[in-house]
Amino acid sequence: MVIKSHEQGSNVSNPTKRIRWATQRVTGPNERHIRQSILDRFQPRKTTSSEKKRQSADTSHLDGITEGPEDSEAGDGQEPDGRRIYFNMPLPDSAKDENGHPVTHYERNKIRTAKYTPLSFVPKNLWFQFHNAANIYFLFVILLGIYWIFGNPNPALSSVPLIVILFLTALKDGIEDWRRTVLDNELNNAGTHRLVDWNNVNTSGDNISLWRRIKKATTHSIISTYQSWNFKRKGSATGGKSYAERAMDNRPSIDTRQSHRTSVLSIQSETSEEGIKMTPVPSPQPEAAHHTQGDRLAADDRPPTSFSFEPEEDAQSDNGHLSAAGKPGKDFVPKFYGSIVDPFKQVSGKARFKSDHWKSVQVGDFVRLYNEDQIPADIVVLATSDQDGQCYVETKNLDGETNLKVRQALHCGRTMKHAKDCEKASFIIESEPPNVNLYQYSGAARWTQRDVRKPEELGTEMAEPISINNLLLRGCSLRNTDWVLGVVIYTGQETKIMLNSGITPSKRSRIARDLNTYVVYNFVVLFFMCLVSGIVQGVTWAKSNTSSDFFEFGSIGNGPAMSGFITFWSSVILFQNLVPISLYISLEIIKTAQAFFIYSDTWMYYDRIDYPCTPKSWNISDDLGQIEYIFSDKTGTLTQNVMEFKKCTINGVPYGEAYTEAQAGMQRRQGIDVEAEGAKVHKQIAEDRVRMLQDLRKMHANPYLHDDELTFVAPDFVNDLGGFSGVEQKTANKNFMLALALCHTVITERTPGDPPTIEFKAQSPDEAALVATARDCGFTVMGRSKDGIILNILGEEQEFTVLNTLEFNSSRKRMSAIIRMPDGKIILYCKGADSVIYSRLKPGEQSQLRRLTGEHLEMFAREGLRTLCIACKELAEEEYQKWNKEHDLAAAAIVDREDKLEAVSDAIERELTLLGGTAIEDRLQDGVPDAIALLGDAGIKLWVLTGDKVETAINIGFSCNLLNNDMDLIVFKIEDEKLESAEAELDRHLETFHLVGTDNELQLARHDHRAPDPTHAIVIDGESLKLVLENQLRQKFLLLCKQCKSVLCCRVSPSQKAAVVRMVKNGLDVMTLSVGDGANDVAMIQEADVGVGIAGEEGRQAVMSSDYAVGQFRYLQRLILVHGRWSYRRLAETIANFFYKNIVWTFALFWYQIYNDFDVTYLVDYTYILLYNLAFSSLPVIFMGILDQDVSDKVSLAVPQLYRRGIERKEWTSLKFWTYMLDGIYQSVICYYMGHFLFAPARFVTSNGLTINDRPRVGAFIACATIVVVNAYVLINTYRWDWLMLLLTAITILLPWFWTGVYTAFPSSLQFYKAAPQVFGQLSFWAMVLLTTSACLLPRFAAKAFQKLYMPRDIDIIREQVGQGKFQHLDRYEAYVPPGKLPSAASSEVSGPAKPHQQNGKPLDDDERPMYPPSVANTGTTHNPRSQTGSDGTDYTGHRRSLEAPPRPSLDRPLRPSFDRMRDSMDRIRPSFEASNDFTSAALLTRLESSHSGTPTRRTLHGSSSLR
C-alpha cells in the first residue's frame, strides 16, 4: 500500500478541513418527517460521551507521526470478525463456497423490534406469561380439577379466571406489539434510492425458505386485512395507498424525471438519465462562480460541475499550479489522492438508481441520498454535492443531539456522480467488525490506481483510511446537502443504532419486589391449610366404630394415607383463592391508569416544546412516592441551557452589564434587598442597551443587528472599538472579535428579508452565542467561500482562508483554527478552558494581563457565568508548512489516527498570546428555587452532580436555595491526591458530628430518614471524589454526606455520577431519583431507582434512557409530591386489601371443613369460588388504587411534609400486611359462624314448610354476607367517597345477588335451582347480612376512630383542616401557589411555560462542551467558622490586598456599572478561607506558567497548579 503525501517543493498550504457554509436549507418531502418519530423508540445503552472518546497521550513532541511500515500495512491484517467488501471486483476463491456463492452472509436491512409475529404470538406470549409463578400455580390447579377424584364439580368452568387473565394480558401485549410492528413496517418500507441492474458480488440470490414464505404470507394477509379495514374506515383520501407506497411516490424515479436545476457554480449541463437532483445554493461570493475551462472534468461523458477534485490529467501532472488564498505566486503541487473509478473498465451502462425500500438495501450496495433523507444503513460517503466533499447530518435519533455534524467524502470517490461511475468504480473496503461504538470507526478503501496516460501499466496499489467522519449512520438525517453517494457496509441488526438500541434496563418497584415475599407467605399458609385437611381426613378414615361406617361406602383412596393425599390436593383446588390470581393483572391495570393520569396532567405539560410528562416505565410509579435522594445535573437541568454572552475581558479591560441569579444570591446573603437592587440594575442595563445600539449603528449600519437579540450590553466596548481609549485597546478589541468570528465550526442559514437574518447552528450553544455576539458588534460571519470564510467587518467584506480546524474533544478542552489573513499572515486562534489556555501561554510574558484577566474571570465565575479564554499565535510560513505535513500524515494514518492527530495539534498550540476571556450566562429554569425548596420541605435531599467549576456551582447553589447563609460550607479538596490525606480530612470533618465511620453508625444512618439540619453543605471536585469513592473511604464519605443538607459534586465524569448514585442507593438503602438532560447523565439515570430525563428544546438522549420525561425541572415537584405520593399510598392500600379479602373468603370455607372431617366439601356453589376474585370483589379495590385521594393536589403541594411518610416507607410494611391478615381471619370467623349458628338449631323452616338448610343455600347466606363485608371494608379504607366510588361499590355488592338470580333460574344449576327467591325471600337472610357486616367492621371502625382521635397522623390533621376550610385560599388559583408568591411563568407551580425566546445550539455533555466548563480551579478544603456576616466562604477574593475599600471608578475610562458594582459587593464582605490560603482561581492563573514549555510550575499550599 502506498499513501502519497505532499511533494517536498510545496511552500504554500492547501486549505484543508474546512467547514462548508450552508447558505440555504432545502425542504424535503413529507415522507421524511413521518419517519422522524419511528427511530425515536430506539433506546441507546449507557455509552456516555466522556467514555466514548479515546483519551490521547500527553505528548510534547511528534514522535510516532511518521508514516512507517506499521502504518502503511496496518490495514492489511483483518480482525477475525472483520469484513472485506468488494465492489465491481470478483470475489477471491477463499470468499466463495463450493457453489460459487459468498461464504459470508450479512444481516438483512429489515429490522424487527416487535416480540411476536402473527404465527408466533400465541405460543410465545403464553410462554412469557407462564414465567409468572402465579399463572403456573393456577394452571396446575386447573389440571388437578380435570380428575374427578379431586372433587372439582366443573373443571371447564374452573379455567375461566385463568383464561380471562391470560386473554387480557395477551390483549395488552398484542396491542403494544402491534404498534411496534406497524412502526417496523413503516421503517422497513420507507423509500431510498439504490443502484440496480448491476452485480453486487457480496450477496447471493435471496433463497427464501418455505417457513419464511409462510411467515411472509401470513403477515401480508393480516396487514392487508387491517389496511382494507382502515381504508374503509377513513375513506379514500390517500387513494388507498400504504404509507410506504405514498412515500415512494413523493420523489419521482430517476428515469422518469428530468432535472433542470444546477449549482450556481457549475455550467448548465445537458440533462441525462442518470442526472442527480441539484438544488441551487447561492454562493456567498459571486466571484467564485467564474471557472476556467481547466477546472472542468476531463472525461468527455461527464458534464462539468462544481467539484473539489482535480481533473485526472492535471492532477497527475507534475506542473499543476493553483493559488491559495487568492495570492498569486504561491505555487505548489497539490496532493494526489487518486480515484477508485477505473477509466479503462468496460461497463454495460444499464445500471441506474431506482426507488426501493429500506429492507431491500444490502451490504455492498450503492445508494444515493437527498437532502432531508434519513440514512437507511451505515454508509461510507464516496461523493457529495459539496465542493469539498462535505455533507451535514443530524444525529438526533442516534444520540439525541440536533446540532449538525460534518461528514467528509473519501478523496478517492469525489469524482463519482452518475450510475456509470458506480459501475466503473473498482475497489475493496476493509472494515472493522460491527460494534456499538458510535464515535469511532476504522476501515480502509483499497484500489489499483491506473494512469490514463499509460493504459498499458498495471497501476499502483493505493489506500485511503476511513474514519467515523466518512460514515453516515443509520437513523441520522441528511441536512443542508443536495445529495450524497455512498456504499453500504452495515445493514439491519449490525448497524450501530441497532447494536445500541434496547429498552432501558428493566426496573421493578420496591413494592413489587416485596410483593413476592408476601405471596410466598400466602403459599405457606395455603400449604398448612391443605396439610391440616389431608392429615385430619386421613386420621378420620383410619378410625373405626364411627358413623362413617354406616353412612359412607368406603373412601376414594381406599385407605387413610391415600385419602389424606387426595384430600391435600383437593384442598389446593378449594382454597385456590388464597393466592390472588387477579392481583397481578389488577396491579397492571392500576399502574397503567396511573401512568395515563401522569401523562394527562396539564400542569406538567410544557407547551413551549409541546411535551407532556411522559411515563416510559409504567410499573414504577409507586417508587415516585418513596424518593429520599434526588441527584441532578446542573446545565440544562437546573439551568435553561440557553447561552447568552454577557461579559468579556479584553487586554485587561472588563466589559459587559448583567445581573445574574448567582449575583442576586450573593447579595441576598449580604442582606441586600435583591428585588429593589435588581430593578435598579435592570433599569441601568436598559439605558445602556439603548446607548450601545445607537453607538453601534453610528459606527456601522449592520443589517443583521436585531435589538431584541443583543445580549452583550457594553457601551464602553463600542467606544473603545472606535478608539476612545487609544489605538492599543482598539486593536485589541478588534482582534478579540476577529477571534470569535473565525475560531468556530458554526454553520449558518441566511434568511433574506427586511431585515435579513442569519441563524447560527453550532455544536454547542456556547459557540453560537460567541459568533452571535461578534455579529452584533459588527463582525458578521457571512458564509464560506471555496477556500475560507467571509466576514463583514464593520461594513467591509473580507475573506479569510481556513487552513486547518483543530476540533474540540473532552481531553483537549480547547479548539483552534489556523487562518490565513488577507495580508498573507498565518494566525492560529485558540479558545478553551482558562487553565488549559494559561498553561499554553508564552512563558515570562503578559504577567500583568494574566493577573487582571484571572481576576476578571474569577469575578465572572462568581456571578455564575461560564468562562473561557481566547488566545492567538502568529505562525511563520515555514513553521506552518512543516507542521502541516505532520498533520496530513497523522490524518492519513490508519492506526491510532485520533491519538496522532491530538499529538500533532498539541504541538502547534503552544507559545500563545492571551487576548482575553468571555463570560456566558446559562440562566436557571423557571421555578427551580421554588421547586427545590418545596422538595426540601418534603424531606427530600438534593445532590447536584455537575461538570462545572466549583465557583460557578456554589453560586448557582445559593441561587436555587441549595445553599444558604447559615451553612458551613465544606469544600473538600485533597491537594496531594493521596488516600491517607483524604481519610484524615474525612475523619476531621466526621469528628464535627461525633462520628468515626463505623458499621454501627452506618446501620443507624440507614434507619434514620430525617432530613439533616441545614448547618452544613459539602462541595467536592472530581479528583477528590475519585479518592473518597474507594472502598476503604466510601463509608466515611457517605456518613459525612448524610449529615449535610446539600452536596455539590463538581467536575465529575458520567461514571462518577453513576458511582455516587450507587453509593447512596446501596449504602443507605434508600430510594433514589436521577434527573438530567444530556448523554452524560444517562449513566446515573439508569443507575437510580427512578430516572427522569429533561426533554429540552435540543436533544433527547437522556429522555430515551429515562423512566419519566418532563419538559422542565419544576415539574418534578408535582410528579413526586402529587402523583408519586398518591401512587404509593394507593398501591400499598390496594395490595393490603387484596390479601385481606382473599383471607376472609378462603378461611370462611376452611372453617366449614371442621364440621365435615375436612373432606373438602364445597360450602358454596363452585361458581362463587370462581367469580369471587374475578367479579364479586375486584372493582372497588382496583378503583381504590386508581382514584383514591387523601387530599387534593393543591394540598399535597401546600403541605409537602405529607410526603415524608413515603420516605419512611410506612404505607407498606410487614406490620400492615399481618394486621390485615389477622383482621381477615377474624372477619372470616364472623362471616362463617353467623351462618353456622343460624342453622345450627336445625329448625330452619320457611313459611311454606320447606327447609332451606341444604349446603348450597346455607353457602348463599354466608357468601353474600362475606361479599358485602369485604367490599364495605374496602370502602372504609378509601379516603375519597365520590359518586363513582360509591356506585362501583354498590354494583359490586349487588352483583352476587344478580348472578344468583340469573344462574339459579336455569335447571342447569342442579341443586342450586330456584335458590335465589328462596334465600333472598327470608328475613333472616337480611338480618344475618346486617349483623355480620356490623360485627366484622366494628373493630376496624373503632380502631380507626381511636387512631384518628388520639393518635392522629399528619394526614388526619390536614384532612381535618381541609374540612374546616383552612385551605380554601388555594382555590383562588388553578394550581398551587406558594405563600407570598403570585402566579407567574416563573413560579414552579404554574404550568404555563415561559414565553419562547431564541435559543441556539443544543445541550451537550458538561465535560464535552467545546470550551466549558473551563478551569480546574482549586478551592479550599475546609471552611472556617462563620463570621458575623454568615459568609460561606465563596466570596470573591482575587482583588489585591491593598484594596481595603470599594474601588472608585477610574477617571480615565467610562463608567462600568456592572464591574464596579460587583467589585464593590465583593469587597464589602470578609476575605474567605480561599484568600487566606492564596487559593482562588485568579491567584492560580496568575502564577500558572506553561506546562508544555519546560517551565516548572509551582505548587500551592492546598493544590497543584499543574495540569494533568
Side-chain angles (χ1 to χ4, degrees), residues 1180-1302:
V1181 72
I1182 289 176
F1183 277 87
M1184 167 200 275
I1186 295 175
L1187 300 175
D1188 193 25
Q1189 282 185 19
D1190 48 4
V1191 291
S1192 67
D1193 55 342
K1194 297 177 184 177
V1195 176
S1196 295
L1197 293 172
V1199 191
Q1201 292 80 3
L1202 294 175
Y1203 186 83
R1204 295 184 180 180
R1205 190 167 176 82
I1207 293 177
E1208 297 170 358
R1209 304 175 204 162
K1210 290 185 176 179
E1211 292 293 347
W1212 177 245
T1213 62
S1214 294
L1215 177 62
K1216 182 172 186 175
F1217 170 78
W1218 290 113
T1219 300
Y1220 274 71
M1221 293 283 281
L1222 293 176
D1223 200 3
I1225 293 175
Y1226 158 77
Q1227 294 186 30
S1228 69
V1229 171
I1230 300 297
C1231 290
Y1232 172 74
Y1233 282 100
M1234 277 290 188
H1236 176 84
F1237 290 124
L1238 179 64
F1239 288 94
R1243 295 190 297 272
F1244 207 89
V1245 181
T1246 62
S1247 58
N1248 61 5
L1250 300 176
T1251 62
I1252 54 170
N1253 57 353
D1254 59 314
R1255 179 184 53 80
R1257 285 162 180 79
V1258 172
F1261 272 77
I1262 295 174
C1264 290
T1266 303
I1267 292 171
V1268 171
V1269 167
V1270 296
N1271 286 291
Y1273 186 84
V1274 171
L1275 189 62
I1276 287 179
N1277 292 327
T1278 303
Y1279 280 108
R1280 183 172 177 173
W1281 286 20
D1282 54 14
W1283 67 269
L1284 181 58
M1285 191 65 190
L1286 293 174
L1287 177 62
L1288 290 172
T1289 304
I1291 291 175
T1292 306
I1293 289 175
L1294 295 176
L1295 197 58
W1297 273 266
F1298 172 78
W1299 169 253
T1300 305
V1302 172

Side-chain angles (χ1 to χ4, degrees), residues 28-38 186-187 189-193 243-251 356-358 372-374:
N30 293 332
E31 164 202 4
R32 303 158 200 135
H33 300 290
I34 298 174
R35 292 204 306 268
Q36 185 65 33
S37 63
I38 296 176
E186 288 183 349
L187 194 64
N189 294 325
T192 190
H193 292 76
Y243 165 80
E245 290 171 336
R246 298 195 303 275
M248 299 288 287
D249 290 344
N250 278 342
R251 192 192 302 278
D356 208 340
H357 300 304
W358 278 25
E372 304 288 336
D373 273 354
Q374 287 199 7

Side-chain angles (χ1 to χ4, degrees), residues 1093-1110:
I1094 301 292
E1097 297 183 25
E1098 308 286 348
R1100 292 290 189 273
Q1101 177 87 2
V1103 165
M1104 290 189 293
S1105 303
S1106 64
D1107 302 305
Y1108 292 87
V1110 296

Side-chain angles (χ1 to χ4, degrees), residues 48-53 401 439 763-764 808-811 813 1054 1079-1080 1402 1404-1413:
T48 55
S49 34
S50 70
E51 297 159 344
K52 304 167 194 166
K53 298 197 171 147
E401 300 176 359
Y439 300 92
Q763 294 192 23
S764 77
F808 169 89
N809 65 37
S810 58
S811 61
K813 293 193 180 298
N1080 62 330
K1402 64 170 194 58
L1404 278 184
D1405 305 350
D1406 280 347
D1407 43 46
E1408 276 203 35
R1409 293 186 177 277
M1411 41 303 234
Y1412 310 105

Side-chain angles (χ1 to χ4, degrees), residues 342-363:
D342 185 351
F344 305 107
K345 187 177 182 64
Q346 300 298 320
V347 297
S348 65
K350 295 181 180 180
R352 59 191 176 91
F353 284 98
K354 176 186 176 182
S355 296
D356 208 340
H357 300 304
W358 278 25
K359 64 184 179 183
S360 301
V361 174
Q362 297 176 316
V363 171

Side-chain angles (χ1 to χ4, degrees), residues 21 72 164 189 229 301 377 453 686 864 915 945-946 991 1121 1385 1446 1495:
W21 211 263
S72 301
V164 171
N189 294 325
W229 172 81
D301 60 345
R453 296 168 302 180
L915 295 178
L945 312 178
T946 178
E991 189 177 349
L1121 301 184
T1495 304

Side-chain angles (χ1 to χ4, degrees), residues 359-386:
K359 64 184 179 183
S360 301
V361 174
Q362 297 176 316
V363 171
D365 275 350
F366 287 89
V367 294
R368 188 163 60 195
L369 308 170
Y370 296 95
N371 190 44
E372 304 288 336
D373 273 354
Q374 287 199 7
I375 316 301
D378 290 354
I379 295 170
V380 171
V381 183
L382 296 180
T384 74
S385 60
D386 185 74

Side-chain angles (χ1 to χ4, degrees), residues 20 23-29 32 251 257 259-266 276-283 306 369-372 385-386 417 480-483:
R20 172 181 177 264
T23 56
Q24 179 173 339
R25 177 185 287 271
V26 181
T27 304
R32 303 158 200 135
R251 192 192 302 278
R257 157 178 64 78
S259 174
H260 300 285
R261 293 173 289 184
T262 184
S263 172
V264 173
L265 297 177
S266 67
I276 293 179
K277 184 184 87 165
M278 303 292 292
T279 303
V281 182
S283 170
S306 56
L369 308 170
Y370 296 95
N371 190 44
E372 304 288 336
S385 60
D386 185 74
K417 176 181 177 183
N480 291 2
T481 307
D482 295 339
W483 56 266

